[in-house]
């Protein structure tokens, strides 16, 4: 193909330039191609300069890092890395039922007492109406028994009066012993009737109290079917949907508690042994490196992790790691709730000696 292309180029040149003018047209000669040996010689010629430039760049980078590196931490400060977490709370049903309404979704910020979901309570409401009707019936029974008690009391008063007159007449001999005994029996019957009427009144009162308790229990159950946020937080997951039938304890949401935000770090034996509950701490998140967050140590594991149960040598003891929990003050975490993100990585610094001051870069900010 190469000879044919050259012939076509010569034909085009002959057409564009007559033979007498072709001698005047200068020919453009291609530069000779560089051989491999020529490229190698040029690279070797520039290699010392490249080495010098790389050395200068490395030296400049090292000098910049040395000048801008953070000052070393005091010996009284121990440090560990971890992820910030918020305490999860499951919003679940107390009774089996159908989800009637969801009022929030994932990512929503909620306040304590805010309604999150409503369950279908038509069956409980029907039972409540029945219990309320029983309450009204018990009230009527109490009215009836009180009226009966008043009637029995009137009969008792009459029987007592008749007995008093019979006693006087019997002493004077105006009535027989038979009549006196009849009056005594009538008095005893009236007394027993009053006692029975009083017992029926007490029974009716207890029935009314039981009906009221049943109605109150149904009201509590209906109220418990309205799922509310126990604390201020953020909805992390929506597990159920509208119309789903859940068993008792079925989860609808999982929320994060803004009042319990912490970071778990793992410290070796020597450093963990210097940490005490209540020690002052700072949390520095990768997302906010210039804003140290004040915190306190609230938990130290009593058992080591990442190591066998039995250790015999100093080297094995050095591998012991203890979990330490550093918690942010609840008031601070709630006031900065918009910045709470579970899972953000960072570092936790613990001050093991109260006499040591925090470095300037770890001073607490508002």
């Amino acid at each position: 193909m190469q000879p044919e292309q050259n012939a076509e180029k010569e034909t085009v040149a002959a057409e564009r330039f007559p033979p007498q003018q072709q001698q005047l047209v200068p020919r453009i000669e291609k530069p000779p191609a560089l051989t491999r040996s020529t490229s190698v010689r040029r690279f070797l010629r520039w290699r010392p300069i490249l080495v010098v430039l790389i050395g200068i760049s490395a030296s400049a980078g090292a000098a910049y890092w040395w000048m801008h590196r953070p000052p070393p931490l005091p010996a009284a400060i121990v440090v560990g890395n971890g992820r910030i977490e918020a305490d999860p709370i499951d919003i679940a049903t107390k009774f089996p039922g159908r989800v009637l309404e969801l009022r929030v979704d994932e990512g929503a910020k909620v306040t304590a007492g805010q309604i999150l979901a409503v369950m279908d309570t038509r069956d409980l409401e029907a039972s409540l109406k029945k219990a309320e009707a029983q309450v009204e019936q018990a009230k009527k029974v109490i009215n009836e028994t009180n009226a009966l008690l008043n009637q029995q009391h009137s009969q008792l008063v009459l029987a007592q009066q008749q007995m008093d007159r019979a006693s006087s007449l019997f002493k004077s001999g105006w009535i027989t012993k038979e009549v006196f005994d009849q009056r005594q029996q009538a008095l005893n019957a009236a007394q027993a009737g009053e006692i029975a009427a009083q017992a029926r009144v007490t029974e009716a009162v207890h029935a009314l109290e039981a009906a009221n308790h049943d109605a109150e229990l149904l009201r509590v159950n209906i109220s418990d079917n309205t799922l509310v946020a126990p604390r201020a937080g953020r909805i992390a997951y929506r597990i159920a949907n509208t119309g789903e039938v859940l068993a008792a304890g079925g989860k609808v949401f999982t929320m994060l508690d803004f009042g319990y935000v912490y970071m778990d770090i793992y410290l070796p034996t020597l450093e963990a042994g210097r940490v005490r509950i209540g020690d002052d701490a700072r949390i520095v998140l990768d997302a906010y490196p210039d804003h140290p967050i004040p915190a306190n140590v609230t938990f130290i594991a009593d058992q080591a992790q990442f190591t066998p149960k039995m250790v015999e040598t100093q080297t094995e003891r050095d591998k012991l790691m203890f979990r330490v929990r550093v918690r942010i003050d609840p008031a601070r975490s709630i006031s900065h709730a918009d910045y709470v993100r579970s899972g953000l990585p960072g570092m936790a610094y613990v001050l093991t000696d109260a006499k040591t001051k925090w470095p300037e870069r770890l001073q607490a900010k508002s």
Side-chain angles (χ1 to χ4, degrees):
M1 296 295 296
Q2 188 68 24
E4 294 178 358
Q5 293 178 356
N6 294 336
E8 291 179 358
K9 292 181 180 180
E10 292 176 358
T11 304
V12 173
E15 292 176 355
R16 295 180 59 185
F17 300 100
Q20 61 274 16
Q21 295 182 1
Q22 290 182 8
Q23 298 178 355
L24 301 177
V25 178
R27 289 184 176 233
I28 300 176
E29 300 291 340
K30 294 183 179 180
L34 295 176
T35 62
R36 181 177 180 85
S37 59
T38 305
S39 301
V40 172
R41 285 196 299 271
R42 289 189 176 183
F43 173 76
L44 295 176
R45 187 186 309 165
W46 286 94
R47 187 174 63 175
I49 300 177
L50 293 176
V51 172
V52 172
L53 292 176
I54 293 173
I56 293 174
S57 300
S59 301
Y64 179 85
W65 175 85
W66 181 263
M67 295 177 62
H68 293 83
R69 68 183 180 91
L73 293 173
I77 296 179
V78 297
V79 60
N81 64 315
R83 294 179 180 272
I84 196 169
E85 300 288 346
D87 203 27
I89 300 176
D90 291 331
I91 307 300
T93 62
K94 184 178 179 181
F95 309 98
R98 187 185 304 275
V99 180
L100 182 64
E101 181 183 359
L102 298 178
R103 298 192 179 180
V104 295
D105 206 344
E106 293 181 355
K109 181 181 176 181
V110 298
T111 58
Q114 180 178 342
I115 297 177
L116 307 181
V118 179
M119 305 295 292
D120 188 1
T121 57
R122 288 176 294 178
D123 53 345
L124 294 176
E125 291 172 356
S127 299
L128 176 60
K129 291 179 180 180
K130 179 181 178 181
E132 290 174 344
Q134 291 174 346
V135 169
E136 295 300 324
Q137 181 65 26
K139 291 180 180 179
K140 293 180 180 180
V141 173
I142 289 177
N143 293 334
E144 293 176 0
T145 54
N146 281 326
L148 180 61
L149 177 62
N150 292 333
Q151 181 182 359
Q152 292 295 327
H153 181 70
S154 299
Q155 292 178 0
L156 176 62
V157 172
L158 177 61
Q160 183 67 50
Q161 292 174 351
Q162 290 176 347
M163 183 62 191
D164 292 341
R165 287 193 295 267
S167 296
S168 178
L169 294 173
F170 179 72
K171 291 179 181 180
S172 301
W174 293 99
I175 60 173
T176 63
K177 181 70 167 65
E178 181 181 2
V179 174
F180 177 80
D181 292 340
Q182 291 176 350
R183 296 293 183 269
Q184 184 64 47
Q185 292 297 328
L187 177 61
N188 294 339
Q191 291 175 343
E194 185 182 35
I195 294 174
Q198 183 63 51
R200 285 193 289 271
V201 170
T202 303
E203 181 181 358
V205 170
H206 291 165
L208 176 61
E209 293 176 351
N212 281 326
H213 290 323
D214 290 341
E216 183 62 26
L217 176 61
L218 289 169
R219 293 189 188 98
V220 171
N221 292 343
I222 292 174
S223 177
D224 287 342
N225 274 277
T226 300
L227 307 183
V228 300
R231 299 174 181 271
R234 189 182 305 280
I235 301 298
Y237 305 103
R238 176 176 59 81
I239 304 171
N241 207 342
T242 303
E244 292 186 14
V245 177
L246 304 178
K251 297 180 182 180
V252 181
F253 296 106
T254 296
M255 62 172 289
L256 302 178
D257 182 9
F258 285 157
Y260 199 102
V261 182
Y262 63 91
M263 176 182 287
D264 285 342
I265 60 176
Y266 294 87
L267 299 177
T269 305
L270 296 180
E271 295 183 357
R274 295 157 51 193
V275 178
R276 297 292 182 269
I277 298 293
D279 282 350
D280 197 17
R282 296 289 186 270
I283 295 176
V284 180
L285 300 177
D286 295 348
Y288 310 103
D290 298 329
H291 296 276
I293 305 172
N296 294 97
V297 175
T298 59
F299 171 81
I300 303 174
D302 57 354
Q303 293 184 356
Q305 301 183 26
F306 311 140
T307 185
K309 295 182 179 180
M310 301 300 294
V311 290
E312 301 294 342
T313 66
Q314 178 66 37
T315 304
E316 290 175 338
R317 287 198 298 272
D318 290 340
K319 297 178 183 178
L320 292 172
M321 301 293 287
F322 290 84
R323 182 167 64 94
V324 177
R325 174 164 295 182
V326 178
R327 181 183 174 185
I328 302 174
D329 180 67
R332 176 178 289 271
S333 59
I334 292 175
S335 62
H336 295 78
D338 292 337
Y339 300 96
V340 175
R341 297 289 187 276
S342 182
L344 290 179
M347 305 291 291
Y349 302 83
V350 180
L351 187 63
T352 60
D353 186 2
K355 298 180 180 179
T356 303
K357 294 184 178 180
W358 285 104
E360 183 178 356
R361 64 189 178 92
L362 294 177
Q363 292 290 338
K365 300 179 181 179
S366 59

